Amino acid sequence: MSDIFREIALRMAPTQAALINDFVKAAPIWASIPMRETSDGFKNVFERIISVEAMKKLTGLDSPLPSVKTESSLASVDLSVFGGLMEVGQDKANALGSAQAYFAKHLETIMPYTAQSYEFATYYNELRPYATKLGNEIDAGGTTANKQTSLVVVRWDAANTGLYNPDGFGSGKVFESFWMNGGNLYNIAKDGTTVPGYGMFFKNNFGIQLEGSEHCAAIVNIDLTLTSGEYTAMPTPDQIDDAIYSVRGTPSDTMILTTNRMVGATKKYERALGATPPNEVMAISDWDGIPIIGSYNILDRAEAVVV
């Protein structure tokens, strides 16, 4: 796999290491996504493979080589904006020393929450729908409304990848800040009126490209409600294997993404193997070498039933 987000961000913006660490702690999935540079700033132009005619058999010495070819079309993916606008009234800024001091302090607070929202959107607006689009969903059997959990298996490569704009790190910052009105006072909205204040926004551009036909699968309708010590609807080991097989997954390029509760629930599989005493059973961190990444930004026992 190519470099993951955390490695690229720390390399490109070492002076913002603390801010980057706040981001990746709040968004463990995004921290682990392999990233590639866009071909054209705010968008990535790529070849969409339509068909491949490959070699079908080996040939003998001095024999004619078979014809091989691909058919493709050009396509592009636009990056999304990661960022936000902060404003503060003049009086509050003065009370806290300066507008710059206010924004620096509050950016540290806002960053983890912004990262959580971005990760939530990536999972539910990009990854889960892509598995649905591919017709690659496995039903774990849960039926209780708004009590479900899911997991996604995704394989990363040049077709399926995170994207970043290398120009977005031009000043050596992963989250560049810009003053509104040149850092001067202007009227900001407050309580239905306007007051003098300052504004600053931070932004960069990231995205996800999902193009492969065998790259994403989901297991849905996982019900982790405990009844008499048993989960209502857990995916079977065979279902997890099937999800991995469907994306041609290997430890070198594939991840399993789910909730932290589902990661904890994997103790059930360890108990079933009977390899360790029950009081020493640990949650599984990987499935045959494929890492399992848990995130609090995926809905925990709160998804709708998929029918």
Side-chain angles (χ1 to χ4, degrees), residues 82 255 262 280:
F82 178 94
M255 299 172 183
M262 178 60 203
E280 296 180 12

Side-chain angles (χ1 to χ4, degrees), residues 24-41:
V24 299
K25 283 189 291 186
I29 292 174
W30 251 102
S32 305
I33 291 178
M35 305 288 288
R36 296 172 186 263
E37 292 185 9
T38 56
S39 62
D40 187 19

Side-chain angles (χ1 to χ4, degrees), residues 83-274:
L85 167 66
M86 297 186 291
E87 293 180 318
V88 61
Q90 181 185 26
D91 292 341
K92 181 180 284 187
N94 290 339
L96 294 173
S98 68
Q100 184 173 2
Y102 173 90
F103 290 137
K105 178 180 179 181
H106 282 260
L107 185 58
E108 294 176 2
T109 302
I110 291 170
M111 185 57 63
Y113 290 96
T114 307
Q116 290 167 10
S117 297
Y118 198 56
E119 182 159 288
F120 179 92
T122 299
Y123 187 84
Y124 287 104
N125 296 345
E126 303 280 356
L127 297 172
R128 272 285 306 276
Y130 194 61
T132 303
K133 176 182 176 182
L134 295 177
N136 210 358
E137 289 181 326
I138 297 171
D139 189 344
T143 58
T144 305
N146 302 319
K147 292 289 185 181
Q148 305 306 308
T149 298
S150 64
L151 67 79
V152 163
V153 181
V154 59
R155 177 166 63 89
W156 303 106
D157 61 10
N160 257 35
T161 183
L163 298 170
Y164 71 96
N165 177 7
D167 296 333
F169 297 88
S171 64
K173 294 182 178 180
V174 66
F175 305 112
E176 182 67 280
S177 301
F178 303 89
W179 284 100
M180 298 290 291
N181 198 35
N184 299 310
L185 285 169
Y186 68 101
N187 288 333
I188 67 172
K190 181 174 180 173
D191 300 330
T193 184
T194 60
V195 298
Y198 302 92
M200 188 201 78
F201 65 93
F202 64 94
K203 64 184 295 186
N204 205 332
N205 301 93
F206 306 111
I208 293 281
Q209 177 179 300
L210 299 172
E211 279 296 320
S213 61
E214 296 176 309
H215 287 72
C216 196
I219 300 180
V220 299
N221 298 337
I222 301 170
D223 190 338
L224 298 181
T225 304
L226 279 170
T227 305
S228 301
E230 293 294 327
Y231 294 109
T232 301
M234 278 278 284
T236 67
D238 285 344
Q239 286 178 322
I240 297 176
D241 286 343
D242 285 345
I244 293 169
Y245 298 152
S246 70
V247 304
R248 304 173 71 90
T250 69
S252 65
D253 57 14
T254 306
M255 299 172 183
I256 300 172
L257 314 175
T258 189
T259 66
N260 284 296
R261 189 184 301 275
M262 178 60 203
V263 174
T266 60
K267 294 176 183 178
K268 172 183 176 178
Y269 304 122
E270 287 286 88
R271 291 192 185 99
L273 293 174

Side-chain angles (χ1 to χ4, degrees), residues 272-293:
L273 293 174
T276 37
N279 62 337
E280 296 180 12
V281 170
M282 302 294 289
I284 297 172
S285 60
D286 67 87
W287 193 272
D288 290 336
I290 294 173
I292 303 173
I293 300 174

